[in-house]
Amino acid sequence: MRQVFAPWRIEWVRRDEERPDDGCVFCAFAEDDADRENLVVARSERAFVLLNNYPYNPGHAMVIPDAHTGEYGDLDDEQLLDHARLKRRTFDALETALEPDGFNAGLNLGDGAGGSIDDHLHTHVVPRWEGDTNFMPVIGDTSVIVEALEDTYDRVREAFADQDGTAVPEDGGAVVVE
Ligand SMILES: [Zn+2]
């Protein structure tokens, strides 16, 4: 049976269950200071980059506007440009850190698109390697995931830090980009 490429079907965000009733987990990450713990690896003025806690592939990231909306048309020009520029930096950082053969990137908009969080826009950026759909396992061991995520976080963070126009906080958290 051919494996379907559908990373949004396994989207899962850390601490989702710890915030059962007070709204949007992406807004919580946008406002929280615990970037390393939350896997927020970079921030711009109006958006941030979050590593998926349950990656389809290593380096599976989401580029997320700070603004809480599920409507693409709600973003103003500054928000759109900031989000696009951060997405470009994310491609560059993942390229440097992980040397993939390519990327899939995209948004899931609306109830019918299959995303698990549909009220706060997020662009998936998924590094791809030749043949990865053939060996990509269903990951079941949480300790392995966390270990791999921490390693990925450090590698991607370092790649962001090496880009021009960035500031690197001493607390080990998200790289701040222009
Ligand atoms: Zn939100």
PDB file of all heavy atoms in Angstrom, residues 78-91:
ATOM      1  N   GLU A  78       1.873  43.979   6.034  1.00  0.00           N
ATOM      2  CA  GLU A  78       3.057  43.815   6.883  1.00  0.00           C
ATOM      3  C   GLU A  78       3.132  42.405   7.464  1.00  0.00           C
ATOM      4  O   GLU A  78       4.205  41.809   7.546  1.00  0.00           O
ATOM      5  CB  GLU A  78       3.048  44.858   7.999  1.00  0.00           C
ATOM      6  CG  GLU A  78       3.355  46.261   7.502  1.00  0.00           C
ATOM      7  CD  GLU A  78       3.499  47.249   8.650  1.00  0.00           C
ATOM      8  OE1 GLU A  78       2.943  46.967   9.737  1.00  0.00           O
ATOM      9  OE2 GLU A  78       4.149  48.273   8.460  1.00  0.00           O
ATOM     10  N   GLN A  79       1.984  41.901   7.880  1.00  0.00           N
ATOM     11  CA  GLN A  79       1.952  40.533   8.432  1.00  0.00           C
ATOM     12  C   GLN A  79       2.289  39.501   7.356  1.00  0.00           C
ATOM     13  O   GLN A  79       3.018  38.543   7.598  1.00  0.00           O
ATOM     14  CB  GLN A  79       0.568  40.241   9.024  1.00  0.00           C
ATOM     15  CG  GLN A  79       0.297  41.015  10.305  1.00  0.00           C
ATOM     16  CD  GLN A  79      -1.158  40.948  10.733  1.00  0.00           C
ATOM     17  OE1 GLN A  79      -2.063  40.951   9.905  1.00  0.00           O
ATOM     18  NE2 GLN A  79      -1.389  40.896  12.032  1.00  0.00           N
ATOM     19  N   LEU A  80       1.751  39.720   6.151  1.00  0.00           N
ATOM     20  CA  LEU A  80       2.035  38.800   5.046  1.00  0.00           C
ATOM     21  C   LEU A  80       3.513  38.791   4.690  1.00  0.00           C
ATOM     22  O   LEU A  80       4.115  37.725   4.501  1.00  0.00           O
ATOM     23  CB  LEU A  80       1.239  39.210   3.801  1.00  0.00           C
ATOM     24  CG  LEU A  80      -0.233  38.838   3.760  1.00  0.00           C
ATOM     25  CD1 LEU A  80      -0.899  39.536   2.585  1.00  0.00           C
ATOM     26  CD2 LEU A  80      -0.415  37.334   3.661  1.00  0.00           C
ATOM     27  N   LEU A  81       4.091  39.973   4.589  1.00  0.00           N
ATOM     28  CA  LEU A  81       5.503  40.071   4.216  1.00  0.00           C
ATOM     29  C   LEU A  81       6.389  39.464   5.299  1.00  0.00           C
ATOM     30  O   LEU A  81       7.330  38.719   4.995  1.00  0.00           O
ATOM     31  CB  LEU A  81       5.886  41.537   3.969  1.00  0.00           C
ATOM     32  CG  LEU A  81       7.348  41.765   3.567  1.00  0.00           C
ATOM     33  CD1 LEU A  81       7.690  41.021   2.279  1.00  0.00           C
ATOM     34  CD2 LEU A  81       7.624  43.263   3.405  1.00  0.00           C
ATOM     35  N   ASP A  82       6.068  39.774   6.538  1.00  0.00           N
ATOM     36  CA  ASP A  82       6.853  39.236   7.643  1.00  0.00           C
ATOM     37  C   ASP A  82       6.783  37.706   7.656  1.00  0.00           C
ATOM     38  O   ASP A  82       7.803  37.020   7.810  1.00  0.00           O
ATOM     39  CB  ASP A  82       6.310  39.807   8.964  1.00  0.00           C
ATOM     40  CG  ASP A  82       7.181  39.423  10.153  1.00  0.00           C
ATOM     41  OD1 ASP A  82       7.032  38.308  10.655  1.00  0.00           O
ATOM     42  OD2 ASP A  82       7.999  40.265  10.553  1.00  0.00           O
ATOM     43  N   HIS A  83       5.612  37.185   7.464  1.00  0.00           N
ATOM     44  CA  HIS A  83       5.419  35.729   7.440  1.00  0.00           C
ATOM     45  C   HIS A  83       6.185  35.108   6.269  1.00  0.00           C
ATOM     46  O   HIS A  83       6.856  34.077   6.432  1.00  0.00           O
ATOM     47  CB  HIS A  83       3.920  35.427   7.344  1.00  0.00           C
ATOM     48  CG  HIS A  83       3.593  33.962   7.367  1.00  0.00           C
ATOM     49  ND1 HIS A  83       3.245  33.276   6.229  1.00  0.00           N
ATOM     50  CD2 HIS A  83       3.563  33.059   8.377  1.00  0.00           C
ATOM     51  CE1 HIS A  83       3.015  31.995   6.552  1.00  0.00           C
ATOM     52  NE2 HIS A  83       3.192  31.842   7.845  1.00  0.00           N
ATOM     53  N   ALA A  84       6.125  35.732   5.112  1.00  0.00           N
ATOM     54  CA  ALA A  84       6.817  35.195   3.931  1.00  0.00           C
ATOM     55  C   ALA A  84       8.331  35.238   4.101  1.00  0.00           C
ATOM     56  O   ALA A  84       9.049  34.298   3.735  1.00  0.00           O
ATOM     57  CB  ALA A  84       6.402  35.978   2.680  1.00  0.00           C
ATOM     58  N   ARG A  85       8.823  36.340   4.663  1.00  0.00           N
ATOM     59  CA  ARG A  85      10.276  36.453   4.872  1.00  0.00           C
ATOM     60  C   ARG A  85      10.754  35.430   5.893  1.00  0.00           C
ATOM     61  O   ARG A  85      11.825  34.842   5.735  1.00  0.00           O
ATOM     62  CB  ARG A  85      10.628  37.877   5.325  1.00  0.00           C
ATOM     63  CG  ARG A  85      10.388  38.923   4.244  1.00  0.00           C
ATOM     64  CD  ARG A  85      10.760  40.300   4.745  1.00  0.00           C
ATOM     65  NE  ARG A  85      12.205  40.444   4.887  1.00  0.00           N
ATOM     66  CZ  ARG A  85      12.809  41.352   5.662  1.00  0.00           C
ATOM     67  NH1 ARG A  85      12.069  42.192   6.366  1.00  0.00           N
ATOM     68  NH2 ARG A  85      14.110  41.411   5.716  1.00  0.00           N
ATOM     69  N   LEU A  86       9.960  35.204   6.925  1.00  0.00           N
ATOM     70  CA  LEU A  86      10.359  34.216   7.919  1.00  0.00           C
ATOM     71  C   LEU A  86      10.313  32.801   7.325  1.00  0.00           C
ATOM     72  O   LEU A  86      11.145  31.958   7.639  1.00  0.00           O
ATOM     73  CB  LEU A  86       9.460  34.317   9.154  1.00  0.00           C
ATOM     74  CG  LEU A  86       9.897  33.471  10.352  1.00  0.00           C
ATOM     75  CD1 LEU A  86      11.324  33.809  10.797  1.00  0.00           C
ATOM     76  CD2 LEU A  86       8.920  33.645  11.526  1.00  0.00           C
ATOM     77  N   LYS A  87       9.380  32.580   6.433  1.00  0.00           N
ATOM     78  CA  LYS A  87       9.309  31.288   5.748  1.00  0.00           C
ATOM     79  C   LYS A  87      10.561  31.081   4.898  1.00  0.00           C
ATOM     80  O   LYS A  87      11.147  29.999   4.900  1.00  0.00           O
ATOM     81  CB  LYS A  87       8.040  31.238   4.884  1.00  0.00           C
ATOM     82  CG  LYS A  87       7.761  29.887   4.263  1.00  0.00           C
ATOM     83  CD  LYS A  87       6.316  29.800   3.761  1.00  0.00           C
ATOM     84  CE  LYS A  87       6.011  30.874   2.728  1.00  0.00           C
ATOM     85  NZ  LYS A  87       4.632  30.744   2.204  1.00  0.00           N
ATOM     86  N   ARG A  88      10.990  32.124   4.199  1.00  0.00           N
ATOM     87  CA  ARG A  88      12.215  32.021   3.401  1.00  0.00           C
ATOM     88  C   ARG A  88      13.421  31.702   4.289  1.00  0.00           C
ATOM     89  O   ARG A  88      14.247  30.848   3.966  1.00  0.00           O
ATOM     90  CB  ARG A  88      12.460  33.325   2.627  1.00  0.00           C
ATOM     91  CG  ARG A  88      13.703  33.263   1.748  1.00  0.00           C
ATOM     92  CD  ARG A  88      13.816  34.495   0.878  1.00  0.00           C
ATOM     93  NE  ARG A  88      13.945  35.723   1.670  1.00  0.00           N
ATOM     94  CZ  ARG A  88      13.933  36.941   1.141  1.00  0.00           C
ATOM     95  NH1 ARG A  88      13.782  37.103  -0.157  1.00  0.00           N
ATOM     96  NH2 ARG A  88      14.059  38.003   1.916  1.00  0.00           N
ATOM     97  N   ARG A  89      13.501  32.376   5.430  1.00  0.00           N
ATOM     98  CA  ARG A  89      14.597  32.084   6.368  1.00  0.00           C
ATOM     99  C   ARG A  89      14.513  30.646   6.883  1.00  0.00           C
ATOM    100  O   ARG A  89      15.540  30.016   7.155  1.00  0.00           O
ATOM    101  CB  ARG A  89      14.543  33.056   7.556  1.00  0.00           C
ATOM    102  CG  ARG A  89      15.086  34.444   7.270  1.00  0.00           C
ATOM    103  CD  ARG A  89      15.110  35.229   8.573  1.00  0.00           C
ATOM    104  NE  ARG A  89      15.616  36.584   8.452  1.00  0.00           N
ATOM    105  CZ  ARG A  89      16.912  36.919   8.540  1.00  0.00           C
ATOM    106  NH1 ARG A  89      17.828  35.973   8.720  1.00  0.00           N
ATOM    107  NH2 ARG A  89      17.282  38.175   8.449  1.00  0.00           N
ATOM    108  N   THR A  90      13.311  30.171   7.053  1.00  0.00           N
ATOM    109  CA  THR A  90      13.124  28.801   7.549  1.00  0.00           C
ATOM    110  C   THR A  90      13.630  27.785   6.528  1.00  0.00           C
ATOM    111  O   THR A  90      14.316  26.819   6.887  1.00  0.00           O
ATOM    112  CB  THR A  90      11.642  28.553   7.882  1.00  0.00           C
ATOM    113  OG1 THR A  90      11.222  29.495   8.865  1.00  0.00           O
ATOM    114  CG2 THR A  90      11.415  27.138   8.396  1.00  0.00           C
ATOM    115  N   PHE A  91      13.300  27.999   5.256  1.00  0.00           N
ATOM    116  CA  PHE A  91      13.863  27.126   4.213  1.00  0.00           C
ATOM    117  C   PHE A  91      15.391  27.136   4.288  1.00  0.00           C
ATOM    118  O   PHE A  91      16.038  26.085   4.239  1.00  0.00           O
ATOM    119  CB  PHE A  91      13.437  27.589   2.808  1.00  0.00           C
ATOM    120  CG  PHE A  91      11.997  27.344   2.470  1.00  0.00           C
ATOM    121  CD1 PHE A  91      11.231  28.356   1.909  1.00  0.00           C
ATOM    122  CD2 PHE A  91      11.408  26.098   2.671  1.00  0.00           C
ATOM    123  CE1 PHE A  91       9.906  28.139   1.573  1.00  0.00           C
ATOM    124  CE2 PHE A  91      10.077  25.876   2.340  1.00  0.00           C
ATOM    125  CZ  PHE A  91       9.325  26.908   1.786  1.00  0.00           C
TER     126      PHE A  91
END
